Amino acid sequence: MNTVQELRAALRAGYGFPGDAANLDAELAAQFLPSVPVDQVTEVHDLGTVVDLPTVAEILADYRGRVHLAASPEAAAAVEEIVADLLDRQGAE
């Protein structure tokens, strides 16, 4: 995955955790929409001054990691085991 579009496609295809596709869009919108008033940006290079690009990069890296995690059968099985264990513990309380 080299682009945001590829990441979004993978999330929509079911890789990652449930709801990740919508959550990614919401997190990116939260970074871009309030930060970039259309009437104040005249050039593409101006975006770097009004958008927290390191935060955007962290968001993308996080979701990319989730896709890679979901693509690994061993990792997916380990996550399922942990979730089942946590649910069992909650039921015991």
Side-chain angles (χ1 to χ4, degrees):
M1 290 171 296
N2 295 319
T3 67
V4 175
Q5 290 81 4
E6 290 172 348
L7 175 58
R8 291 173 78 211
L11 292 172
R12 287 191 181 118
Y15 292 98
F17 298 108
D20 274 355
N23 292 340
L24 171 65
D25 288 343
E27 287 188 42
L28 290 177
Q31 290 299 315
F32 285 105
L33 295 180
S35 302
V36 185
V38 176
D39 60 341
Q40 294 180 10
V41 177
T42 59
E43 299 289 332
V44 172
H45 67 272
D46 288 345
L47 291 176
T49 62
V50 294
V51 175
D52 184 1
L53 294 178
T55 299
V56 170
E58 287 177 19
I59 291 168
L60 296 174
D62 180 43
Y63 283 94
R64 188 171 184 257
R66 293 174 186 213
V67 169
H68 286 294
L69 181 67
S72 166
E74 297 85 15
V79 169
E80 288 178 16
E81 183 179 325
I82 291 167
V83 169
D85 184 50
L86 289 173
L87 291 174
D88 286 345
R89 289 181 189 193
Q90 285 180 345
E93 293 177 359

